[in-house]
Amino acid sequence: MDIGITIFNHILLNQKLNPGATGAFTRLLMAIVVAAKVIQRDVAKAGLVDVLGRAGGINVQGEEVQKLDEIANEALKRLLSASGEVCTLISEEEADLIEIPRQYNRGNYLVHFDPLDGSSNIDANVSIGTIFSIYRRVTPPEMDADLKDALQPGLRQVAAGYVVYGSSCMLVYSTGSGVHGFTLDPTVGEFILSHPNIQVPTKGKIYSINEGNYGYWDEGTRNYIEWLKDPNANHPKPYTARYIGSLVADFHRNLLYGGIFLYPADLRDPLKPKGKLRLMCEANPMSFIMEQAGGLATTGTERVLEIQPTEIHQRVPLIIGSHDDVKLYQDFIAKANG
Ligand code: AHM
Ligand code: MG
């Protein structure tokens, strides 16, 4: 029986279109694919914690039980290091650049990742995800990778993607020639091409934002959200609110249906004056994918992919989605800023 196009074949086809390709990039992507399957397996067992043992406690075999975000982090570190194609890794879970163990070859790529995004939702069985962003190193190969490699603007990404652990497990990625989605067929353990060439609708009718922060937003954001909800405004179709609170899941829905996701700067937490989401492991990869799908991503005043990063864990406002919706948001911000 034909099972369709596997992700491995899809990546190989891409490799063949690039005459200079050595296979290094294919090996790197496949390491992420295997990590996604490992994480999916463990996420699927999350509801059994009371049976298998609580994180931080001891399981029935007498072993210490790890938290799922630690398991996901370790899986990505181990599989990416063993691919022999990375010179360093940067994880949302770790403060500094991760050194590749000496027993592995060093490669020319580096990966920023958020191993398990939205992990506060795990106990409620809500969709969560993994996000990754791949760059080529810029320092000479004989040197240890450093911040020059890690702090490149999003425009330099060679690939980005995410995995959503939802009602089915999907992996969506782009290498700069369109956005392609694959669904894990659990009966054969393979990701199969299910959403080729995803294009986001030019305009949507969904808006996604944590409205609990309303009182802490800037004036332009407040005016925009008021306008979306105003029954007397001249909307072609009324807007509807959808907010899961799990970036990958909110993003994925809006990518398929059209709409806008906003995590603007707010004054709720003085320690996070630029919003909550991280530039390198959340905003940049999602912006790369959204632009590849025909949408836009901005901070309100600046294209996300053009930001020159200064810190590996820096935060940015992220407004991302259908082209016309994001453009209109920018108009509200420009008007409020005079
Ligand atoms: P995390 O990386 O600690 O999981 O936080 C990121 C998550 C995103 O998935 C989501 O978009 C956002 O936090 C939701 O934040 P809030 O609860 O403030 O609405
Ligand atoms: Mg996160």
Side-chain angles (χ1 to χ4, degrees):
M1 193 186 89
D2 183 15
I3 62 162
I5 299 174
T6 64
I7 195 163
F8 182 54
N9 284 340
H10 194 264
I11 294 169
L12 273 184
L13 279 175
N14 246 329
Q15 184 190 318
K16 289 208 179 94
L17 297 176
N18 177 357
T22 59
F25 188 60
T26 301
R27 284 190 287 278
L28 175 62
L29 280 177
M30 287 313 293
I32 295 176
V33 170
V34 177
K37 292 186 204 175
V38 171
I39 299 168
Q40 154 67 19
R41 181 198 60 196
D42 290 319
V43 165
K45 289 191 300 197
L48 293 171
V49 282
D50 285 333
V51 182
L52 302 175
R54 282 212 165 266
I58 304 293
N59 71 11
V60 285
Q61 279 93 32
E63 301 152 341
E64 195 173 318
V65 182
Q66 270 187 303
K67 283 164 96 185
L68 268 178
D69 34 17
E70 286 163 15
I71 294 176
N73 191 40
E74 290 304 322
L76 280 158
K77 278 166 61 176
R78 208 173 44 246
L79 286 153
L80 282 168
S81 299
S83 76
E85 305 301 346
V86 290
C87 57
T88 187
L89 298 169
I90 304 100
S91 166
E92 196 208 274
E93 293 284 319
E94 303 199 22
D96 298 314
L97 270 62
I98 297 165
E99 224 179 288
I100 306 305
R102 288 283 158 203
Q103 72 260 37
Y104 300 122
N105 282 336
R106 304 294 173 88
N108 287 322
Y109 293 98
L110 58 133
V111 186
H112 287 263
F113 55 85
D114 184 349
L116 211 53
D117 183 65
S119 48
S120 63
N121 285 316
I122 293 174
D123 287 348
N125 216 348
V126 171
S127 296
I128 47 182
T130 295
I131 310 173
F132 60 92
S133 161
I134 305 176
Y135 294 82
R136 225 171 251 115
R137 71 178 301 170
V138 290
T139 53
E142 62 281 4
M143 285 172 56
D144 282 342
D146 64 24
L147 283 177
K148 276 198 258 356
D149 300 303
L151 297 178
Q152 301 184 53
L155 274 177
R156 296 248 186 89
Q157 287 170 103
V158 291
Y162 62 84
V163 186
V164 52
Y165 309 103
S167 43
S168 56
C169 176
M170 265 196 83
L171 189 151
V172 175
Y173 86 102
S174 175
T175 55
S177 49
V179 178
H180 310 286
F182 300 79
T183 302
L184 184 65
D185 179 340
T187 62
V188 288
E190 287 285 359
F191 281 100
I192 309 295
L193 182 62
S194 52
H195 297 65
N197 270 315
I198 301 173
Q199 286 286 304
V200 64
T202 316
K203 188 180 168 346
K205 54 177 190 138
I206 295 172
Y207 75 97
S208 313
I209 190 166
N210 184 342
E211 276 196 82
N213 294 334
Y214 182 94
Y216 302 98
W217 296 333
D218 58 277
E219 186 193 335
T221 302
R222 284 205 302 263
N223 291 345
Y224 175 70
I225 298 297
E226 288 302 330
W227 177 84
L228 292 180
K229 300 196 294 187
D230 181 356
N232 299 315
N234 189 18
H235 307 130
K237 285 184 199 152
Y239 280 85
T240 188
R242 289 283 183 276
Y243 190 71
I244 296 169
S246 186
L247 175 64
V248 172
D250 278 311
F251 177 94
H252 185 66
R253 180 202 53 239
N254 291 7
L255 178 70
L256 298 182
Y257 299 166
I260 184 166
F261 171 93
L262 310 95
Y263 211 112
D266 64 65
L267 302 172
R268 188 173 197 131
D269 181 349
L271 295 175
K272 297 175 194 161
K274 292 192 167 173
K276 179 179 183 188
L277 301 179
R278 287 91 170 163
L279 174 63
M280 301 309 292
C281 66
E282 294 174 327
N284 269 337
M286 293 316 210
S287 300
F288 184 81
I289 292 169
M290 188 51 85
E291 287 201 6
Q292 280 293 316
L296 292 177
T298 179
T299 63
T301 54
E302 200 177 0
R303 183 181 175 201
V304 172
L305 293 180
E306 287 178 4
I307 297 172
Q308 174 59 55
T310 52
E311 288 167 46
I312 55 178
H313 294 296
Q314 87 189 63
R315 297 177 195 264
V316 280
L318 177 65
I319 292 81
I320 189 165
S322 292
H323 179 277
D324 293 359
D325 293 299
V326 176
K327 272 261 175 244
L328 192 65
Y329 174 82
Q330 285 172 311
D331 293 346
F332 271 84
I333 295 298
K335 199 166 163 206
N337 292 349

